[in-house]
Amino acid sequence: MTKPESKKSSVAAVINTTTTTSSTTGSTGTGKCATAASNAGQVNNGCSVETQSKAGVMKQTSRESLHRRNTECEVYDDGTNTFFWRAHTVTVLFILTCALVYVTLLEETPQDTAYNTKRGIVASILVFLCFGVTQAKDGPFTRPHPAYWRFWLCVTVVYELFLIFILFQTVHDGRQFMKYIDPKLGVPLPERDYGGNCLMYDPGNTTDPFHNIWDKMDGFVPAHFLGWYIKTLMIRDWWMCMIISVMFEFLEYSLEHQLPNFSECWWDHWIMDVLVCNGLGIYCGMKTLAWLSMKPYQWQGLWNIPTYKGKIKRIAFQFTPYSWVKFEWKPASTVRRWLAVLGIIFMFLLAELNTFYLKFRVVDAS
C-alpha cells in the first residue's frame, strides 16, 4: 500500500470512528433526553397529584369556613381597649406584697392555732386565685370579662383539691374537718318525707285538701328551675336536656334505698320535677337561646356611646355572649359522635349524683 492510500484509509478510519462516536453519543444523549423527559413527566405527575391534594384541602377549608359563616353570627366591634381589659399583673403583685408585708411586720400574730390555720389556708387560696386570675389561660368565654371565668376556673381547681383531700380521710375525720369551716356542719338534718302521703287531693283534710302538694314546695323547686335553665344554656339542645332530666328520675327510683331524699311520689317525679320545674326551665332556656341567636352583636366602647340609656344598655349586654354559634349535636350521625354524646350525658348525671352523695356522707349523716 502506498502512502496516499494509507492516508486515505487513515482518514476513513478516523471518519468512521468519529461517526460511531457521534452516533453513540447521540444515542446516549437521546437516552438522557428520554430519561429527562420521563423524569419531567414524573415530576409533572407528582405536581398534579400535589396540586389535586392542595385543591382538595382548600375545598374542604372553604366548606368549613362556609359552614362557620352560616352558623356564626356577624360581630361588629370597634376594638375599644379600656382600663378593665388589661391584666394589671404589676398592680396585683404590688397589692399582695403590701398585704404580706403588713401581716409579717406590723400585725401581731394571734396565739389561737385554729384561727391561724384558717387564716393561713384562706390567704393561700387568695394568693392562688390572684395568680390564676392574672396568669391563667383564657377559655372560650369572654363575657362579662375573661378574668371572671379565670376566677371560676381557679375556684374549681381549689374545690377539686379539697375533694381529693377529703377522699383520703375517714368519714369521721372528714366530718370533723368540715366543722372547721362551719361549726354547724356534721349534724344530721331533719329529713323531709317526700314519699309518705302521695294523695294529690286529700278529702280527709277539709281545711286544705291540696296540702300534700304545698308540702312539697321547698327550696328544691326554684333550684330545679334555675338549674335546668342554666343547663339548657350550656347544652343548647332540647332533646338532650329532656333525656338527662328523665334519666335522673330513674336514678332517683334506683337509689332511693340509699338516699332518703330520692323517695318521692310518682307525681312529684314526673309532674312537678320533669314537666313543671325541669320542663319550664328548659323551655325558658330554649327561648333565651332563640333570642341570643337573633339579636345583633354590635359592640361599642362605653365612652363612645353618647346617651346614658345607651350606656346602661351596653353594661347590661356585657353579661350576654360576645358572639353566637349555632350548634347541633347530631348524635346519630356517626358512632364516635354517639359515644361522645353518651359520655357527656353520663358526666352530667354523675355530677348531679355527686352533690347528693357528698351532702349525705359528709354533711347530713352523723
Side-chain angles (χ1 to χ4, degrees), residues 214-339:
W214 311 130
D215 290 341
K216 304 299 186 294
M217 298 291 181
D218 54 9
F220 284 102
V221 173
H224 274 260
F225 171 79
L226 293 176
W228 277 104
Y229 176 77
I230 297 175
K231 289 173 190 173
T232 305
L233 298 181
M234 296 168 57
I235 300 175
R236 303 186 183 183
D237 186 80
W238 185 84
W239 281 106
M240 278 191 65
C241 291
M242 290 303 299
I243 289 172
I244 295 174
S245 175
V246 172
M247 288 188 66
F248 187 78
E249 299 302 322
F250 282 109
L251 288 177
E252 287 186 342
Y253 276 120
S254 304
L255 301 173
E256 62 181 9
H257 63 285
Q258 295 182 356
L259 300 176
N261 284 343
F262 283 179
S263 179
E264 300 175 352
C265 299
W266 67 269
W267 49 268
D268 197 356
H269 280 291
W270 303 111
I271 297 179
M272 290 188 62
D273 287 351
V274 175
L275 295 181
V276 178
C277 299
N278 301 355
L280 187 60
I282 294 172
Y283 175 79
C284 295
M286 295 303 296
K287 288 298 182 181
T288 305
L289 293 175
W291 175 75
L292 290 173
S293 63
M294 292 186 295
K295 71 177 292 290
Y297 290 88
Q298 299 180 357
W299 304 111
Q300 287 181 286
L302 191 63
W303 310 118
N304 296 333
I305 302 175
T307 62
Y308 287 104
K309 181 179 179 181
K311 293 179 185 294
I312 295 174
K313 186 177 180 181
R314 176 64 180 83
I315 293 174
F317 279 163
Q318 185 68 24
F319 296 89
T320 61
Y322 178 78
S323 62
W324 186 258
V325 178
K326 183 180 179 181
F327 185 79
E328 295 179 358
W329 288 95
K330 295 181 180 179
S333 58
T334 60
V335 177
R336 180 180 180 182
R337 200 174 185 87
W338 181 68
L339 293 175

